[in-house]
Amino acid sequence: MTESPLLSVTDLVLGVKRSKGSTVIVDGVSFDVATGNRFGIVGESGSGKSMSLRAIANLLPAGVNVMSGSIKYNGEELVGMNRVKRRRLMGPEIAMIFQEPMTALNPVMRVGDQIAEGPRRYLGLSRKAAMELAVSMMARTGIPDPAKRALAYPHQLSGGLRQRIMIAMAISCRPKLILCDEPTTALDVTVQHQVLRLLEELCDDFGASLVFVTHDLAVVNQTCRDLAVMYAGRMVETGAVKDVFRDPRHPYTKGLLDSAPDFDQPGRALVPIPGFPPNLAHRENACSFAPRCPFVQERCLEGAPVLERVEDGRESACFFSDEIFKKVRV
Ligand SMILES: Nc1ncnc2c1ncn2[C@@H]1O[C@H](COP(=O)(O)OP(=O)(O)OP(=O)(O)O)[C@@H](O)[C@H]1O
Ligand SMILES: [Mg+2]
């Protein structure tokens, strides 16, 4: 018998309530994350990456709802789970790291106390023991002079240090699953690399799994083993990062790769994807990438392709994934 995945998201549909009905913003997202895996979700702005992640953490903004689908953590259904039970999972089991630490940190509380809060509440540590743990977590995330810095307020620290505080907060209860929403986007490139390496190291040391949302393909390449590419609320391609990057099977993924700098070929011209993502309130019964797709054919306008297996461990939602990419490679 194979072990069930740590996280299993199946046919997740998220909607925003409008005066007339609902607009679907995430449409049928499915993915599994095995214990110890690092899974990336990429896509342009507005493709539904953050909302998918927030649904897992039960942190959807007001007005956005799970309309259907399932989110299983360790085999247990999270959708519809009672609030108290679900809240108990956050911290010791699941933690989330956001793009902008200032939105997650309390501006009027010393950072050491903020990190110590989780271990006190969830691990039952005394005030003193929790503070010792907080300082050791700060040291672990590479914060110099942690005992002194624990007394600082968030605004007294640099962006890079604040991001490390948030990581220390997230890992302080040794969660098994860490959800990251663009955790390094606000940082400069050198600090970004340091923080990513730190996250990887901590995941390995603590045996934590990672779901990593970003629009930066280089970050996914560095950090994740598997990925899903989202477009207009749907997944259009999934597979191992190395396979998808070498040989994309969806025209959107190919567009993303062609429009991103390539470290192996620094001189290569960047080709942006023309046009804009569709308005989700007026979804047509056609492939949503069709208006921007260089390979579009009549069939693409007559119905939307669904995600289908293209080879072992790989899926693509394109009617022509085989033919097109054979052509591209010739
Ligand atoms: N609070 C909200 N209320 C209603 N709709 C929202 C809200 N936040 C986001 N949306 C909508 O949900 C859709 C998906 O947004 P989401 O934030 O998940 O995108 P994203 O892929 O994370 O984009 P980005 O790369 O810009 O962070 C978008 O169409 C957006 O307009
Ligand atoms: Mg986002």
Side-chain angles (χ1 to χ4, degrees):
M1 208 179 84
T2 50
E3 203 186 326
S4 65
L6 181 68
L7 177 72
S8 189
V9 177
T10 313
D11 290 329
L12 182 68
V13 179
L14 304 178
V16 180
K17 281 220 172 68
R18 307 265 188 237
S19 50
K20 286 184 199 147
S22 291
T23 299
V24 169
I25 55 167
V26 166
D27 192 9
V29 158
S30 300
F31 63 96
D32 285 349
V33 181
T35 299
N37 194 5
R38 298 205 280 261
F39 186 84
I41 303 179
V42 296
E44 278 168 304
S45 188
S47 56
K49 306 181 297 292
S50 296
M51 291 304 132
S52 303
L53 205 65
R54 282 173 170 272
I56 301 166
N58 202 23
L59 292 171
L60 284 172
V64 180
N65 299 298
V66 176
M67 297 173 76
S68 59
S70 154
I71 304 171
K72 283 195 174 147
Y73 174 77
N74 244 339
E76 226 183 336
E77 182 61 57
L78 300 186
V79 176
M81 180 184 268
N82 91 46
R83 273 199 0 237
V84 178
K85 200 170 164 196
R86 183 125 189 221
R87 203 174 306 140
R88 247 181 250 144
L89 286 178
M90 294 305 287
E93 297 286 334
I94 305 175
M96 183 145 174
I97 302 175
F98 297 89
Q99 174 176 354
E100 181 32 68
M102 282 314 261
T103 56
L105 294 175
N106 182 342
V108 295
M109 194 171 170
R110 295 179 199 276
V111 293
D113 289 331
Q114 296 192 53
I115 300 168
E117 219 180 3
R120 284 191 72 189
R121 187 184 310 165
Y122 298 113
L123 308 181
L125 297 188
S126 68
R127 178 184 286 268
K128 186 165 171 282
M131 186 51 80
E132 277 166 16
L133 180 67
V135 172
S136 75
M137 285 295 164
M138 288 172 70
R140 189 72 183 77
T141 61
I143 295 175
D145 210 353
K148 189 172 143 225
R149 290 249 162 67
L151 303 174
Y153 292 94
H155 72 269
Q156 295 171 316
L157 302 173
S158 68
L161 285 184
R162 284 202 289 260
Q163 197 54 277
R164 284 164 202 261
I165 296 289
M166 204 157 55
I167 294 173
M169 228 163 117
I171 60 165
S172 61
C173 296
R174 299 202 169 210
K176 298 186 181 65
L177 177 66
I178 304 179
L179 308 171
C180 297
D181 193 356
E182 311 252 12
T184 57
T185 310
L187 306 174
D188 70 54
V189 178
T190 330
V191 184
Q192 184 171 333
H193 275 287
Q194 289 170 0
V195 171
L196 285 177
R197 204 152 304 135
L198 169 69
L199 259 176
E200 289 166 25
E201 225 179 86
L202 293 170
C203 282
D204 287 347
D205 287 0
F206 296 170
S209 312
L210 200 68
V211 182
F212 200 103
V213 159
T214 177
H215 64 270
D216 190 336
L217 294 169
V219 168
V220 173
N221 196 19
Q222 185 191 327
T223 315
C224 302
R225 192 178 76 193
D226 297 306
L227 94 163
V229 180
M230 284 189 78
Y231 185 75
R234 292 180 181 150
M235 281 186 170
V236 295
E237 176 153 14
T238 66
V241 173
K242 65 173 179 16
D243 296 337
V244 174
F245 276 40
R246 190 187 54 226
D247 175 23
R249 293 300 184 89
H250 193 283
Y252 177 60
T253 316
K254 180 167 169 16
L256 280 181
L257 289 165
D258 289 344
S259 62
D262 185 340
F263 295 117
D264 298 333
Q265 295 169 269
R268 183 176 59 86
L270 304 186
V271 186
I273 305 174
F276 300 98
N279 180 345
L280 297 180
H282 308 287
R283 209 183 265 284
E284 317 252 337
N285 188 25
C287 173
S288 34
F289 190 57
R292 306 172 75 185
C293 182
F295 306 104
V296 64
Q297 303 200 26
E298 214 154 290
R299 187 176 170 198
C300 312
L301 307 173
E302 289 162 1
V306 294
L307 204 57
E308 276 177 351
R309 180 184 170 281
V310 287
E311 61 185 61
D312 260 358
R314 295 193 63 178
E315 298 168 307
S316 163
C318 173
F319 292 128
F320 303 102
S321 56
D322 280 344
E323 289 118 273
I324 287 167
F325 293 103
K326 263 183 223 145
K327 253 189 244 163
V328 169
R329 261 177 285 146
V330 172

